[in-house]
């Protein structure tokens, strides 16, 4: 892509813009087990319903925190790429998400800035369930090259 096209993309991003939602679900025990297996997280609260309910006193099987992190990053990358680069992402796990939930990863632009040929987009992010309950609020910074390629390694920000 030409630098003008990248600059045009960045200049079209405004505070308050929502990035496209990413929706998954309803989450099934099979989803949770496959993720647990893939990352070798064998905590029984993700796949053993009697253990989760009776021993741990949870409302149901829990969606893995690492899956939720991946889910938010996937939504951000689908919005930003191929031009943008995910610089930072942060999460807070405030509510449990359980099997049967349909989850939506979302993001909203809260600030933009142009620094040394790079366009920075700061977003608030999160995951909400089908009832609108926010479980995983967070933030992210995406960088768009405007007049130069995104440097690697990326310089530390002050």
């Amino acid at each position: 892509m030409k630098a003008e096209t990248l600059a045009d993309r960045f200049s079209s991003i405004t505070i308050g813009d929502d990035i496209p939602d990413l929706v998954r679900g309803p989450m099934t025990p099979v989803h949770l087990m496959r993720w647990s297996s893939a990352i070798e997280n064998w905590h029984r609260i993700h796949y053993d319903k009697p253990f989760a309910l009776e021993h741990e006193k949870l409302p149901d099987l829990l969606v893995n925190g690492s899956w939720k992190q991946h889910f938010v990053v996937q939504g951000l990358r689908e919005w930003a790429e191929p031009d943008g680069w995910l610089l930072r992402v942060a999460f807070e796990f405030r509510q449990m998400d359980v099997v049967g939930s349909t989850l939506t990863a979302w993001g909203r632009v809260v600030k933009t800035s142009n620094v040394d040929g790079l366009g920075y987009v700061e977003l608030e992010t999160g995951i909400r369930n089908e009832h609108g309950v926010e479980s995983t609020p967070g933030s992210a910074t995406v960088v768009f090259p405007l007049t130069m390629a995104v440097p690697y390694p990326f310089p530390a920000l002050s």
Side-chain angles (χ1 to χ4, degrees):
M1 266 186 151
K2 295 181 181 177
E4 296 81 23
T5 304
L6 294 172
D8 290 343
R9 170 142 189 231
F10 175 73
S11 67
S12 72
I13 298 169
T14 59
I15 294 171
D17 284 353
D18 291 321
I19 70 171
D21 288 344
L22 186 60
V23 179
R24 297 288 184 265
M27 300 299 291
T28 68
V30 174
H31 289 120
L32 304 183
M33 186 63 209
R34 288 181 69 194
W35 185 262
S36 291
S37 177
I39 66 164
E40 296 186 3
N41 175 351
W42 301 117
H43 198 298
R44 293 167 60 184
I45 61 174
H46 302 300
Y47 64 88
D48 184 341
K49 189 167 186 160
F51 177 83
L53 295 174
E54 297 163 17
H55 186 269
E56 296 295 312
K57 308 296 187 222
L58 295 170
D60 212 324
L61 296 174
L62 298 186
V63 175
N64 312 61
S66 59
W67 182 87
K68 291 167 39 168
Q69 292 173 334
H70 164 80
F71 185 45
V72 170
V73 168
Q74 181 183 5
L76 291 165
R77 289 184 64 188
E78 286 184 9
W79 172 72
E81 291 178 351
D83 310 321
W85 183 72
L86 186 56
L87 174 63
R88 290 187 185 151
V89 64
F91 313 92
E92 293 180 13
F93 297 124
R94 293 193 184 166
Q95 297 284 332
M96 293 180 275
D97 290 302
V98 296
V99 72
S101 298
T102 297
L103 302 175
T104 300
W106 61 273
R108 182 171 303 111
V109 176
V110 295
K111 182 179 177 184
T112 62
S113 56
N114 183 334
V115 179
D116 298 328
L118 297 171
Y120 291 82
V121 179
E122 295 180 31
L123 303 106
E124 61 178 350
T125 64
I127 297 173
R128 63 179 173 264
N129 67 18
E130 67 275 18
H131 306 293
V133 175
E134 178 66 43
S135 67
T136 315
S139 61
T141 303
V142 174
V143 179
F144 289 91
L146 303 178
T147 60
M148 58 183 252
V150 174
Y152 183 83
F154 199 84
L157 298 176
S158 52

